[in-house]
Amino acid sequence: FFVSLAVAAVRAQIQQEPFPVTTERTGINIRCSHLNLRTGDYIHFYRQLPGRRPELLAVTAKASKDMRVPEGRLWVSADRRSSALWLARPRRGDSAVYYCALGD
């Protein structure tokens, strides 16, 4: 089972590690660096399943938060310069392109 990753940037200062892979039900972190984050920016994570539009999974200004679907957590570093989307037990149906973005 393959989880692919892409970049969706409101501004060009977002970096994500390319194409992480995991096996079914083995947790995975999808990391994002955002060194150009401005006060008031929110961190957004989306996923795009094959043949579908992107869907918002989680958004936060600075606090980490749990997610129900897919099960996991959006983690944000104390300095807000990096974040990670942790998928606790990904399944085949979670194979998608995952996006990190900054914005209002």
Side-chain angles (χ1 to χ4, degrees):
F1 148 55
F2 175 74
V3 177
S4 62
L5 187 86
V7 175
V10 175
R11 288 182 304 282
Q13 295 296 323
I14 294 179
Q15 297 176 347
Q16 291 179 267
E17 60 182 293
F19 308 111
V21 177
T22 189
T23 57
E24 193 166 20
R25 304 221 178 259
T26 301
I28 187 171
N29 270 313
I30 300 170
R31 293 180 180 86
C32 183
S33 297
H34 22 83
L35 305 178
N36 210 24
L37 190 72
R38 294 184 277 188
T39 303
D41 276 348
Y42 284 80
I43 301 160
H44 305 252
F45 268 91
Y46 296 85
R47 78 171 170 187
Q48 187 170 13
L49 298 167
R52 312 255 319 254
R53 293 178 178 213
E55 63 178 311
L56 180 64
L57 296 178
V59 62
T60 188
K62 59 184 175 180
S64 298
K65 60 179 9 178
D66 291 330
M67 299 182 324
R68 291 185 185 203
V69 179
E71 182 184 355
R73 183 167 182 77
L74 171 55
W75 171 86
V76 180
S77 66
D79 65 4
R80 296 188 351 129
R81 294 168 75 85
S82 64
S83 59
L85 183 70
W86 177 64
L87 303 179
R89 288 186 280 279
R91 298 176 299 179
R92 288 185 192 274
D94 293 318
S95 184
V97 178
Y98 288 81
Y99 299 89
C100 172
L102 299 177
D104 302 350

